[in-house]
Each structure stands twice: as C-alpha cells, then as structure tokens.
Amino acid sequence: MDIFTVALLLSTLRLATPVALIALGETFSERAGIINVGVEGTATLGALVVALISFYTRSPWLALFAALVAGGLAGALHALWCIRWRANHVVSGIGINILVGGLAMFITGAVWGWRGTSPSAPTLNPWIIVIAGFVIICVAQVYLFRTRWGLRLRVVGEKPEAADTAGVNVHLTQYFYTILNGVLCGLAGAFFFNNLGRFTFGMVGGRGFIGIAAMVIGNYSPLGGLGAALLFGFVDALQMRLQAHIPNQFSIMLPYLLTVVVLAAFIRRANVPAALGRHYVKQ
Amino acid sequence: MRQRLRGWLGTALVRETGLTLLAVALAFAVGTLIIWAAGFSISAVFTNLWRGAFGNRISLGQTLTQATPIIFTSLSFLIAFRCGLFNIGAEGQLYVGAMAAAVVGTVLRVPAWLGVPLCLAAGGLAGAFWGWIPGLLKARRGVNEFVTTMMLSYVAIELTNFLVAPRGPLHDRTAWSNQTVRIATTAMLPRIMRPTQVSMALVIAGIAAIVVWYFLFRTPSGYELRSVGQSPAAAEYGGIRTPRKIVLALTLAGFLAGLGGAGEVLGTHYRFIAGFSPGYGWDGIAGGLIARAHPVAAVFAGLLMGALRAGGMQVQRARAAPGDIATVLQGLVIFFIIAPMLIRRLLIWKRRRN
Amino acid sequence: MTSDQGGAMAELAVRMEGIVKRLPGVVANDGIDFALERGEIHGLLGENGAGKTVLMSVLYGLYHPDAGTIAVRGRKQSMTSPSKAIRLGIGMVHQHFMLVPRLTVTENIMLGSEPMKGGLFLDERAARRAITELAEQYGLPVEPKARVEQLSVGHQQRVEIIKALYRGAETLILDEPTAVLTEQEVEHLSAALRKLRGEEKSTVFITHKLSEALALCDRITVLRKGKVVGTVRAKETSERELAEMMVGREVVFTVRRREATSGQETALRVEDVEADDDRALPALKGISFELRKQEILGIAGVEGNGQAELAEVLTGLRPAKSGRILLGGVDLSGKKAHDYIARGIAHIPADRQRRGLVLSFTLKENAVLGQHRNPRFSVGPFWQKQRAIGVYTQEIMDAYNVKAPSPSALAQNLSGGNQQRLIIGREFSKSPQVIVASQPTRGLDVGGIEYVREQLLNMRDKGAAVLLISMDLDEILMLSDRIAVIYDGRIVAIKDPEETDRQELGELMLRGAGEMAGRAG
C-alpha cells in the first residue's frame, strides 16, 4: 500500500513526541509517588499559554518558555494539593483538567472573542521539540538508573521512610518531580500549538491519558514509555491516512481503542512504585 | 430540646455540609478575582449568573433541565468512587444510553406505560454495558479503569457520531444536523414545568438518588461494595469477592449514566443529537466530588452544577463575560472541596487572628 | 549546673538531658536523661509504650523534642533530621527495616552517600568493595548484588547494620533487633556487636527481653511510662530486679495455665499444601499437620518462613497450588474466604488495621464483616437488619470490653487494644470450630497481651481448635499444647512443650530438621 512511506515514519515520530513527553513526566512524578492525571489539562494549558504569548509578543521562543513555566505552575498546584493538603491525587488531577478546560474556554473567549480557539500565531519548527524530546528522554533514562538523584527518586516512590532516614528530603523530591512533570506537559502542549499553528480546544484530545497508558505499558522507564508512545504515534499517523478510506469517526477512534486493547494485553504490574498515591507524613 | 439541637449541630452531616459550603464560597471568591483580573464587571457577571439560574420561571427551568443529567452522572461517578474506582467515562456512557433509548424509542410501537420503561431500560443497559467492559478489564487484568473509561468514552462519542452522521445508518435524512428521527410520542417523558423542558426525568433522577443511597447504606450488597472501596484487604478477609464488586460498581455506574442519557432523549430532545451533551459527564465528576460521594447530596450538587451552566449561558448572552466562567468556578470548587485540610487551616488562621 | 565543656562529658558518645516528647494523647518521653559512653553496649529496656523507640527517634532526628538537650561527643547539637544524625555518626536500625525490597543490597546501602565516578554517575563497584570490606571486618556477611526482597530477615538486618556503618556510624541504635532472630542468630549478632565495642563504637540496644539485655549489655537503662526508672550495670543486677523496675511492682512470672485436656478428635487436617507468596515464589512447600479439637497448636518459626502464607491459605485468602485442607472431612482447598467463614474458621489477622478492620467504617459495620450475609443480619442481597446489627455490636462491646462511645463510632478512633478486642469479639462470637490466630498480641500493652492470651485459652477450653502463629517463642511456649516448627515452608518438627526448650526450638527454626548440620543461614 502506498500509505506506508517515509512520510508515515516522520509523522509517527512527530505524533509520538507529545505522548512520550507526557509519559516521561508521569514516570518522574509517579516514581516519586505522586499520581498526576492532570497531565491532559496541563498540556492544554501549555498549548493555550504558548498561543497567548506568541500572539502578543510574536516571539515563539518566549512563548515556549512561558508554556514551560505555566506547566510547572500547574504541577506545583497539584503538588501543593497532594503533598501539603493531602488531597487524593487522582481527584486533584481531575480538578486540574476541569479547571484548565474552563480557563481555556474563558480566556480564548475573553481575549479573542472565540470560544476555544486562537488566531494563528508565529510558531517554531515542531521538529525542534521532537528532537529535544528524544534527547531529553535518553538523558532521563541514564539519569534515572545511573545517577544518585535517580536512585533517590526511585526510593522516594518505593519507600519514603527509607529515603527520609537516609537524609533525602521526601517532600522536596516530590515537589520537584511533580513540577518537572508539569514542565514536560507544558512542552508537550507547546508541541501541539507549534504543530498546528494555533490553539484549539480539545487539540490534546486524550493524548495526556494516552501518555499515562504509555508509561504503564513502558513499565515506568523513560525508554519504555518512548517505545509505547511510538506505537501510538504510528497508529495516530496511520489513522490520519486512513480517513480517506473509512468513515473518519472510526479512524479517530483507533488510538483510543488501541490504548484499551494494549493495556489489557500487555499489562505488567512489576514496577508500580510501592508508595504510589500515599501521603507521606513525616513524624 | 436545646441539647438535641446541639447534638445535631455537632454531627458529621452538619460539619461536612459546612465545609462544603465554605469551599464553594472560597471558590466563588477566587472566581471573583479572576473575573476582576480579566477586566469584566463583577456585578454584571454575578447578576447575570443569578438571573440565568434562578431569575424567573424560564431560567429556573433551564437550571433544572441541565441539572437532570448531571444528577445521573454524579451518581454514576460516586457509586464507582464508593468502590474505590474512578469512572471518568460517564460522558460516553451517557451517549450510548441516549442512543439506545432513541433507537428503541423510534422503533417500538407500544403504549406509553410500557414504552417509556423499555426505553429507559435500554438506555441504562447500554450504559451498563459500556461500564461493564472497563469493570471486567479491571477485575480480571488489573487494567487502570481511569484510562479505560476515558478511552471508551471517546470511542462511544465517535461511534454514536458515526451512526447519525450523513453516511450513517440512523441519520435523519430530513435534517441538516446529525441526529436521529423523532421518537414515538408514546416513548416521551411528560414535561412537568411548561413551557420549560423540565421533564419527569428530573423526578426519576431524584428517585435514583434515593435508591442509590438505600443500596449503598442499607443493603448487604452495597455494604460489600463500600468495603472494597475503603479497604480491599479487609473486604477480602470478610469473604467479599472483590473482583465481582468491581465489575458491579462500574456496571452500575454505567447504568446510571446511561439512564441519564435516556432521560435526555425521552424528556428533553425527543431524539438523539450528536454532541447533545455540553460535558455532563465531566460535570458529574465535579458533582460527585462536591457531594462528597453522598447520593442525596448529589441531587443538590447536580442542581448547583445545573445552575452554573444555566447562569453561564445568561452571562454569555448578556456579554458580561464568556459563559465558561461557570466551568472555571466548577473547577475551583473541586480544588477547595478536596482539601478539607486547607479549609481547616484557614479557619484556624482566622480564629488566631481574632 | 552542668557546663558544656565538662571534662567528663567528653568521654560520652551521647548525652540526652531532660528530653520531653509529647505525641497525640500521650507524653512519650517525660524528662528523660540518658548517657551513652564510648565503646559500650547500652540496653534500653522497657515495656511496649515505655518510650524507648521515641527517645531514640529523637536522638536520630526523626522526632523533634518538645524540651531537652542533646550532646554528641561533648558538643550540644540540635538533631533536626536523620541526615544531621548521620553526619554526627549516629546510625539507627529500625524495627521495621528501612530497606527498599525492589532494590539491590548495594543500592540500599549506598543510598544517601553514593560514591560517584566522573562527577555524575553512580560508582557501584566502589560501593560494593566498601560493603564487602565492612562485612568481613565485623563478621556480617551480605550479598551485595542480591535484591533485598529475596533475602531472609536475618540477612536484611545485617544489611541494615552495614548500611549504618557504611555511613560512618560511631553510635549504633538497634531497635528490638532480636525480635526477628533465633537464638543462634542472636549469637552472631552479639559477636558482631562485641567487635564494634572493640573499636570504641557504642551501641544502644532497645529491647523488652530481660535475658537478652542481661546477656549482651554493659549497662541497662530502664524506662517506664516515659520516665527513667534507673540505670544499672548488667553485672550487678538480676532479672527479677530489672522486671520490677520495668513493671513497677514485684512480678510473679506468668505461670503456664494449661490443663492438658487436649482432645484426640481432628478438627483440621492439612495435607501437603503448597502455595506461592506475593512475588509468585514458592512459600509453602508441602505443609502437613493436624489440628485437634480443644488444643492450641503453636507454629514457631523465624519470620518469613511461610507463616503469613499459611494463615492466608487456611482462611481462603490465598489459593493453595496443591494439597488438601480438610475441615470436618470436607475439602476446602480451592474455596474462597467466604466458604471458610461459612465452615466455621475464625481468623485473627496479623495486620489488624489493614485486614482485620475497615478503619473508616463504624463498629457496627465492622462487627458484621464476614457475617453480613448471615440471615441473622440480612435478608437476601437487598435488606440489612440494622437493629439486629446494632444489638449484636453492643453485645460484643460488652462481652469483650471494647471501649468506644457508641456502636456508631468509627473503628479508626479506637486504640490498638480496643481494635484488637473488637476483632477478637467478632471472631469468637461466631463460636468457631477453628481459630487461626496470627500474632494476636503484637503491639499490645501488657494488659492487652494478658487479655488476649486469656481469651485464647478460654476458647480452647470451650472446645475450639486454635492455631497460634507467633514470632514470640515465649508466647508459643506459654500457650501451646503442641508446638510445630516451620522452616522454609515446611513443618520440620512437632514437639511437646514439656519435652523441648528454647535451644532446641531455635536450632530447628534456624536450620530445619534434616539440615541441622547443613548450610549456614
């Protein structure tokens, strides 16, 4: 078939990037024991902020930076709620998704007068983010398993008491990696904007949740998450080419169905951090 | 008498309610700040919010109409939550329920006393099936139900979309929009507050809330479901088969959301319309959380969500601000609701200052 | 009165003065003075809840004291965190090990002070070399490349001690180190401690066992209810004196109350049962025994030899891979917890907060856990008899002395002792034929322990068959009519308590029967 081409390969790499970045972010925060299902909303926020700043400053680089900061702030909010106020992690993440959803509509409406979309604004070449993403993921793999900070991170999510008695600041670690997760989601969001040239509501379209699925399938390792993300990227790229051949509702459905099927088929529970979702209370 | 009153005031119910109201108040305070920062008139926004929600009979009707499906999805969320599960897919279950009800409603030619229950049952069962799949995957293979319910929600929306799209089998060829034909009059739920769209579905939602309460707190089966949610290990120790309860909880969650979808078709739109839900599934998550997973409180939480939606529409119409300020408020409420420690801390801080 | 630079103080490894630590509902340390000399093994003796662990947690920087001062090697210090304590040369081995099961021994030990190469990467080889050296120096063999989850409890304890030494501990705090060890392992441990003493390192040895304190320590400080009763030299005191200091009155050592009326009829027969643990590794490797009516069969063994799995298999919480479990002639293997409950097996689980109770439920809801489908409390799946449940709960509370404001109170608001009484009340009220009691007295105070033991004997006298699983050899010896020793997933011997002693049992627990002369632990 003529749909299997170099172009397909390239769009696989492109579409895999945001999923892989979110999977990596979630790997960091869950290795520190913090579940964040707010990645979907955080990526949306990143895309919105990058559109706003790029529209007003005409500087896509500044906009990219702003998206990272916004993502980090969303991560910080989540961390504050989960660590300081001991909220249920999942519920706090849902809160982020709903709040950002509302804000995205409200802000686009308030600023541009269109509910949920931005006008086009200057973009970066999305391949910059793709390449940066792949480099970050490789570095993260080494960081997690070959450095002292990686070791400490792994211990915090497995047994915070052990980290604490070894002199590792558990809460600080959790804050750091939850914020880092937000920053990576912000980067993913920036990709969505730069890929399309504008912000539209729903442009993340469940890729945040798919990122979480990719992390699970990748067994909590950065490279594993990348592998799973590439699979989704491929199916995503494929479905776009299939739209000419089958009703587009079915092709849109494909990545979501695939997620369910792959999760059901390949589930491995080996590396779930033992203290995931727990509130560590220092005595 | 006095002592009894004091005893009542000290109960968990009153404390929980107090904390909830305080959280709502705090959310509105932060929301006000956002409105102010965005440069809108605070008074105009809140006047219109109120007018749109409760200003007259029509707006009250709008609130109640919107609250109806949200009560169902709130119940859907909370029944799974009580079993320690997250049903994030109420939106999709709502759609398949609505579709099933619409199909049965257009095909069947039976008297109303039979037609309406059949359509409701069809909607509930279709939703139940959509909840049963993630339930089974969770129970058998430990697949995270959060992700699967969400993914299946997208699938449901696209699937129903396809059915009513121009090339789809159920598309109403006489209409421009993607919808089915009108259901039979014998399948329609009576309107109870003319000229608004409020229908018997609201009453059914209220009854459903009481039934869910009874089920959770007064039946052995509900007891088992809650045990699994509170402590899976202890539930297992008590001879409770955890996997079965997981399947049950998500199936019931799907059933309730599906019922909500059926109510929309039978009571409000009289047909399935693609994209008819503006996010009732998500509202249900907020509703279930604000109700603190209590079924009776979910009715009030649903009303609050409905009022925010109706009020938001008026805010939009009056050009006071984008109507989505309502969703922002909803998100803020969640944040304050789920951090009782934060509220307690704020109270202590206030007391200290006094 | 005392000056910071006193000449005598320089000799002390640690001096704690006037330590006060309040915990919710209790003053855990109430003005404690404690002095640790260099190169001594110092016993910290007291009952559960006397404040021993809290005092040492204050020294280790885990708790911040409400009052009092701490001096390390003559210098006043505020112990703000464990890392500060580590920097000052203090190491602590907790009762519940602070090891990450999924990581290797090396990763666990180097955590917090990891050697680096190239300024960026972990240098595991250097860490392994250092670990091996320490292991040889003090006679504490460990396997650096193994994952901790694969190691025996004794091995894990050695890892913990090396972890402390690796971080340069001059003062070592051991919290109840012998609770998980056999007599023979205790011997090895004390040899290592003596080597440490030879190098001028100091050890604080927290225990509630008199004999061990006497055998191992140079000096002993006794705590009672958060206060120091006194410090004595081990050579100049006796068990009786220490016991009196601990409890505050003259102690009559508990007499074993057993009438040996044990029947001959079999209540439960276990035939060749095999089962896996949570990691899918074989934990029970062909267990067979018989439990008779009207007897207490004690299961003695070192923690982690299959006891937890045995209790779960016998109550339907864990599937048996093979073998038969016969209760009154009916084979229950392959059945679920629900069927075991229906057949009259009661279970006092080891982890009462996780397994035994739903903490966020009311006492009423907890009282019917496991019997909620009983016709006494429900009709079909859709009707619960609220009133009957309330009355029943009140009965349990009265009969078993559960102190709570009302049957509608939440289980999580009860003290540990009351929680255990509620569980025992619930389980015993079913008039069970067989009782599986897993560590029924762990974590209780003296009064609670006596109460629970009394109840177990009562049930036996009423005809129930009791399987008592306990890591406390004294408890096993005190209560059992017969003692079965479990080792590596098998019952290696069944002994009459009259005809055996701690020495023999310890030998069996450590090495099994056939392998007595074989490999070392």
Side-chain angles (χ1 to χ4, degrees), chain B residues 214 223-224 226 230 236-237, chain C residues 347 355 360 365 372 383:
Chain B
Y214 177 82
Y223 168 89
E224 293 177 339
R226 286 187 298 124
Q230 292 295 328
E236 194 191 9
Y237 162 88
Chain C
H347 182 195
R355 272 270 194 227
S360 53
E365 288 170 316
H372 51 278
W383 183 260

Side-chain angles (χ1 to χ4, degrees), chain C residues 224 314 383 389:
Chain C
R224 188 172 71 228
L314 292 184
W383 183 260
I389 294 173

Side-chain angles (χ1 to χ4, degrees), chain B residues 114-262:
Chain B
L114 187 61
V116 169
L118 274 178
C119 290
L120 285 172
L125 289 176
F129 174 70
W130 223 249
W132 174 77
I133 302 170
L136 202 67
L137 290 175
K138 173 79 175 184
R140 288 275 172 82
R141 306 200 46 99
V143 183
N144 182 344
E145 83 288 354
F146 185 93
V147 175
T148 48
T149 50
M150 185 70 221
M151 293 295 120
L152 286 175
S153 184
Y154 286 114
V155 173
I157 292 167
E158 293 304 327
L159 193 67
T160 50
N161 249 340
F162 162 76
L163 292 176
V164 293
R167 283 194 292 171
L170 299 176
H171 180 61
D172 175 7
R173 269 161 244 290
T174 63
W176 284 106
S177 50
N178 294 353
Q179 59 186 42
T180 60
V181 294
R182 209 172 148 97
I183 55 171
T185 41
T186 50
M188 291 177 187
L189 281 168
R191 294 270 161 93
I192 57 174
M193 198 176 139
R194 291 188 185 276
T196 69
Q197 292 179 304
V198 184
S199 73
M200 278 301 285
L202 178 65
V203 178
I204 298 172
I207 295 169
I210 293 165
V211 171
V212 170
W213 174 83
Y214 177 82
F215 171 76
L216 283 174
F217 296 102
R218 288 291 179 270
T219 70
S221 197
Y223 168 89
E224 293 177 339
L225 193 146
R226 286 187 298 124
S227 306
V228 172
Q230 292 295 328
S231 171
E236 194 191 9
Y237 162 88
I240 296 164
R241 295 175 197 190
T242 309
R244 287 190 190 185
K245 296 300 144 191
I246 288 173
V247 176
L248 176 69
L250 283 172
T251 307
L252 288 176
F255 182 85
L256 287 162
L259 211 52

Side-chain angles (χ1 to χ4, degrees), chain C residues 145-158:
Chain C
K145 285 184 180 171
R147 282 185 173 211
V148 164
E149 62 188 355
Q150 297 163 332
L151 306 177
S152 71
V153 180
H155 197 150
Q156 292 187 19
Q157 187 176 64
R158 296 197 291 275

Side-chain angles (χ1 to χ4, degrees), chain A residues 192-210:
Chain A
F192 285 115
F193 167 81
N194 286 301
N195 195 36
L196 196 68
R198 60 163 58 192
F199 172 82
T200 61
F201 188 77
M203 72 192 310
V204 178
R207 298 305 184 278
F209 300 116
I210 294 180

Side-chain angles (χ1 to χ4, degrees), chain C residues 401-421:
Chain C
N401 198 17
V402 182
K403 289 195 196 81
S406 88
S408 301
L410 297 182
Q412 65 197 12
N413 296 336
L414 265 57
S415 71
N418 279 315
Q419 289 177 348
Q420 187 72 331
R421 274 195 270 269

